[in-house]
Amino acid sequence: MQPSVWARALQHHASPSPPHPAGPHRTPILFRQLVRPAWLQARCCGFAVALFGGMAAATLLPPLPVARYDLLLAYGVLLDRRGLPAGLGDAS
């Protein structure tokens, strides 16, 4: 008779796990893995803040021969082009 699923699970969890490689060389790697996504998200939020700031600044402009939404489009494209070399637009 085979042990039940619960008995096998208890035996598996009761066995000691192998030690994890710890030490000073492992800490910076883990830190970088935690900080990199947070830094990328903060930079992406910076793009949104800059875009909304441009929208707010566009309301302060005097009447121009170009429509305000066209200027906002150009401003958004420039912001996007500025973000691509910084690695914000690639899928990797």
Side-chain angles (χ1 to χ4, degrees), residues 33-73:
Q33 287 178 345
L34 290 173
V35 170
R36 186 174 183 271
W39 176 246
L40 205 65
Q41 288 296 319
R43 291 179 65 185
C44 291
C45 288
F47 173 81
V49 167
L51 192 59
F52 279 108
M55 289 169 58
T59 61
L60 302 174
L61 292 175
L64 297 171
V66 180
R68 185 182 313 163
Y69 51 83
D70 287 337
L71 291 175
L72 284 173
L73 176 66

